[in-house]
């Protein structure tokens, strides 16, 4: 888990590779060049195995990589590149000779190393490298921790997270109060640009942000608010300078 946290820290603190200015002012060829440069400079992904196409600011990644972590890493590197409005990650993970039962045991052992998941009734099954997680936890962040931990295991091609969050519900009005405080104090979002709704612990966000990577950072922060069961940030889109 320590290795995974270090990976996340590197992703979010690394310097931006791209171009200054509003996202829609960056030509597609320049975005493509910046993405390829970023993948090559990182060193943790074989850049020759990843193909990059860009159309109207939407980056499509394809090709084959050795591990699921490489696929997820490529996605994270691209979303923080200036000018990118959306990402379609169609990269496939190269099949490994590791048997499913061996992967299953490795995932189970990895989950045991996560303090928040100790004594949690989680069930792991594996079919052709695809891990399915079932069980129940008290907080959404615990479900995500299990998913992220499983993704780090060698041989895992994908993770299907069916873990249920069954903790005692917190009133929506209390969650909304903490949500507003976060949105007001966050440097990643302008409260005037974002609409929000809290329904049965689910937070829905819509509006405009300056950079695609901010969507994932905001969603991650909101998921940590006590009582939040899930976050729907699909309605957050990168700002356009047209008409300004």
């Amino acid at each position: 888990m320590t290795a995974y946290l270090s990976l996340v820290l590197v992703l979010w603190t690394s310097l931006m590779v791209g171009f200054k200015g509003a996202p829609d002012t960056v030509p597609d060829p320049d975005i493509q060049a910046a993405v390829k440069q970023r993948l090559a400079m990182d060193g943790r992904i074989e850049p020759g195995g990843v193909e990059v196409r860009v159309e109207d600011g939407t980056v499509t990644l394809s090709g084959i990589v050795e591990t699921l972590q490489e696929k997820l890493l490529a996605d994270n590197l691209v979303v923080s590149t200036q000018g990118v409005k959306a990402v379609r990650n169609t990269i496939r993970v190269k099949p490994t000779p590791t048997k499913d039962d061996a992967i299953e045991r490795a995932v189970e052992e990895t989950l045991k190393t996560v303090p928040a998941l100790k004594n949690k009734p989680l069930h792991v099954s594996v079919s052709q490298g695809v891990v399915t997680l079932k069980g129940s936890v008290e907080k959404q962040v615990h479900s995500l921790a299990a998913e992220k931990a499983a993704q780090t295991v060698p041989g895992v091609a994908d993770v299907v997270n069916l873990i249920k969050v069954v903790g005692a519900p917190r009133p929506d009005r209390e969650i909304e109060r903490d949500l507003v405080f976060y949105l007001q104090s966050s440097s990643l979002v302008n409260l005037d640009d974002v609409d929000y709704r809290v329904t049965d612990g689910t937070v829905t966000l819509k509006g405009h942000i300056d950079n695609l990577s901010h969507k994932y950072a905001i969603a991650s922060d909101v998921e940590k608010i006590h009582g939040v069961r899930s976050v729907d940030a699909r309605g957050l889109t990168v700002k356009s300078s047209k008409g300004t």
Side-chain angles (χ1 to χ4, degrees):
M1 193 63 182
T2 301
Y4 168 73
L5 293 174
S6 298
L7 172 61
V8 172
L9 181 61
V10 170
L11 289 177
W12 290 112
T13 57
S14 59
L15 293 175
M16 296 275 286
V17 176
F19 301 84
K20 296 181 179 179
D24 63 341
T25 65
V26 183
D28 288 344
D30 290 350
I31 296 175
Q32 183 180 42
V35 169
K36 288 183 176 181
Q37 179 188 10
R38 183 135 211 212
L39 293 173
M41 289 176 58
D42 185 84
R44 288 171 290 179
I45 302 175
E46 176 53 53
V50 178
E51 297 179 8
V52 180
R53 292 188 295 107
V54 184
E55 184 175 355
D56 295 330
T58 295
V59 177
T60 299
L61 301 175
S62 58
I64 301 177
V65 294
E66 296 289 335
T67 68
L68 179 58
Q69 278 188 293
E70 289 182 64
K71 175 178 179 177
L72 299 174
L73 175 60
D75 199 84
N76 280 303
L77 290 173
V78 172
V79 297
S80 55
T81 301
Q82 189 69 20
V84 175
K85 296 179 181 179
V87 179
R88 292 183 63 251
N89 191 341
T90 63
I91 294 173
R92 294 182 293 117
V93 178
K94 184 178 180 180
T96 67
T98 306
K99 293 183 178 180
D100 287 342
D101 56 351
I103 296 176
E104 182 176 316
R105 289 193 298 271
V107 171
E108 290 173 343
E109 290 303 315
T110 300
L111 293 179
K112 292 177 183 178
T113 67
V114 183
L117 301 178
K118 286 185 177 180
N119 302 319
K120 296 294 188 296
L122 300 181
H123 175 72
V124 180
S125 61
V126 184
S127 176
Q128 297 182 340
V130 177
V131 175
T132 299
L133 301 175
K134 294 182 180 180
S136 60
V137 293
E138 293 81 14
K139 298 180 180 180
Q140 179 69 19
V141 68
H142 295 165
S143 173
L144 294 173
E147 181 178 341
K148 299 300 183 184
Q151 290 170 348
T152 66
V153 175
V156 173
D158 201 359
V159 177
V160 179
N161 189 348
L162 300 181
I163 297 174
K164 296 181 180 180
V165 179
V166 297
R170 185 186 184 202
D172 288 342
R173 64 181 181 277
E174 293 184 10
I175 297 175
E176 184 173 321
R177 180 193 62 201
D178 291 350
L179 174 63
V180 171
F181 176 78
Y182 165 75
L183 294 175
Q184 288 175 331
S185 59
S186 174
S187 62
L188 301 178
V189 61
N190 184 335
L191 185 58
D192 294 334
D193 292 335
V194 174
D195 293 325
Y196 56 85
R197 184 175 73 252
V198 183
T199 306
D200 296 330
T202 295
V203 176
T204 302
L205 300 171
K206 296 182 179 180
H208 303 294
I209 50 179
D210 292 324
N211 189 284
L212 185 61
S213 65
H214 293 175
K215 173 194 288 190
Y216 302 96
I218 292 166
S220 178
D221 289 341
V222 173
E223 283 166 351
K224 295 179 176 65
I225 295 176
H226 176 54
V228 171
R229 291 179 176 271
S230 63
V231 178
D232 182 355
R234 292 173 295 178
L236 292 179
T237 58
V238 178
K239 285 181 181 179
S240 170
S241 64
K242 294 178 181 179
T244 61

